[in-house]
Amino acid sequence: MESPFYEEVIKRGAREATIENTLTVVTERFPFADIVALKSRLEGISDIDCLKQLGVAASLAPSFEAFQYKLVASENGSD
């Protein structure tokens, strides 16, 4: 059995990696996107599953605006 501290470190690392992966996808797909603001918004989301879904949305969205729509929906809890 892992210690609670170790489990928290693993979760935090997975969350940070998910955010960084999403930012990488957005940067490559939408080079004019405001990555600094996006990073701040993603860091405000604590649910790792939600962050993973946003990573998928970033790779599939036809435009940055469409991705932002998904982001707003996630922030509002309606996605």
Side-chain angles (χ1 to χ4, degrees), residues 10-29:
I10 295 298
K11 288 178 185 177
R12 188 177 311 133
R15 186 175 167 277
E16 290 173 5
T18 302
I19 290 170
E20 289 303 317
N21 290 339
T22 301
L23 292 172
T24 299
V25 170
V26 170
T27 299
E28 290 298 315
R29 294 205 59 224

Side-chain angles (χ1 to χ4, degrees), residues 45-58:
I45 299 171
S46 59
D47 183 354
I48 186 76
D49 292 327
C50 179
L51 289 168
K52 288 177 182 178
Q53 290 174 353
L54 287 169
V56 172

